C-alpha cells in the first residue's frame, strides 16, 4: 500500500501544479498582442499541456485515490468532504479546458477574470484537501 500512497501523492502534486499553471498561462495568452508569435503558439501549448499532462495526471490521481480508500477501507465524514473538494477540482479542470477552447476561438473578453477565478477556486480547494487529509482521525 505505500507505493499506492506515493503514486497518489505524486500524481496529485502534478495535477495540482497543472491546475495552477493552466489559468496563469491562459491569462498571459489572453493579454498577448495580436500577431505576436506567442499568440500563435500559446493555444497549441495549452492544449498539449491540458490533454497530455494535466488530464492523465488527474485521472491517475483520482484512480489511485479511489484505490487507496477502497484497499485501506477508509470511511468517515472527512472523506466525503475531501471527495467534494476533489469534485470541485475536477470542475476547475473542465473549466480550464473550456477556457482553452475560448482562447482558440479568439473569444478573449472575459478570459482573464475567468482564469483568475478558476485559479483562486482551485487553490482554495487544494488547500481544503490538504487540511482535510492532514486532520483526518487515525484509526
Amino acid at each position: 500500500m505505500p507505493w499506492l500512497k506515493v503514486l497518489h501523492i505524486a500524481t496529485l502534486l502534478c495535477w495540482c501544479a497543472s491546475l495552477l499553471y493552466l489559468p496563469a498561462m491562459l491569462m498571459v495568452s489572453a493579454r498577448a498582442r495580436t500577431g505576436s508569435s506567442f499568440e500563435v503558439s500559446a493555444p497549441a501549448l495549452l492544449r498539449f499541456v491540458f490533454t497530455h499532462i494535466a488530464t492523465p495526471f488527474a485521472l491517475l490521481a483520482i484512480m489511485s485515490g479511489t484505490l487507496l480508500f477502497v484497499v485501506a477501507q477508509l470511511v468517515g465524514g472527512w472523506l466525503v468532504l475531501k471527495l467534494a473538494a476533489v469534485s470541485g477540482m475536477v470542475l476547475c479542470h473542465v473549466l480550464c479546458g473550456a477556457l482553452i477552447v475560448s482562447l482558440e476561438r479568439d473569444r478573449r473578453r472575459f478570459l482573464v477574470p475567468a482564469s483568475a477565478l478558476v485559479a483562486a477556486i482551485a487553490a482554495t480547494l487544494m488547500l481544503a484537501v490538504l487540511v482535510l487529509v492532514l486532520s483526518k482521525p487515525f484509526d
Side-chain angles (χ1 to χ4, degrees):
M1 191 164 72
W3 63 269
L4 194 55
K5 283 184 183 181
V6 170
L7 175 67
H8 181 59
I9 291 169
T11 55
L12 188 62
L13 269 171
C14 293
W15 181 34
C16 289
S18 67
L19 272 181
L20 296 175
Y21 173 78
L22 287 170
M25 192 67 178
L26 276 160
M27 286 186 271
V28 170
S29 300
R31 292 181 178 153
R33 291 186 185 150
T34 306
S36 70
S37 62
F38 180 75
E39 181 194 30
V40 175
S41 63
L45 175 64
L46 279 165
R47 180 175 281 275
F48 177 83
V49 170
F50 183 80
T51 57
H52 292 90
I53 298 171
T55 301
F57 278 124
L59 292 172
L60 280 171
I62 292 167
M63 287 188 290
S64 61
T66 303
L67 268 174
L68 198 56
F69 82 80
V70 168
V71 168
Q73 297 177 346
L74 298 172
V75 290
W78 68 271
L79 183 62
V80 174
L81 292 173
K82 179 190 175 232
L83 292 176
V86 170
S87 297
M89 289 170 58
V90 169
L91 181 61
C92 289
H93 186 93
V94 170
L95 289 173
C96 282
L99 292 172
I100 291 169
V101 170
S102 293
L103 180 66
E104 289 174 341
R105 294 182 179 168
D106 207 27
R107 296 182 185 150
R108 299 171 185 237
R109 186 170 181 191
F110 297 109
L111 202 55
V112 172
S115 298
L117 184 62
V118 167
I121 292 170
T124 303
L125 290 168
M126 289 175 212
L127 185 60
V129 167
L130 183 64
V131 167
L132 287 166
V133 168
L134 293 178
S135 65
K136 83 175 178 101
F138 290 100
D139 295 331

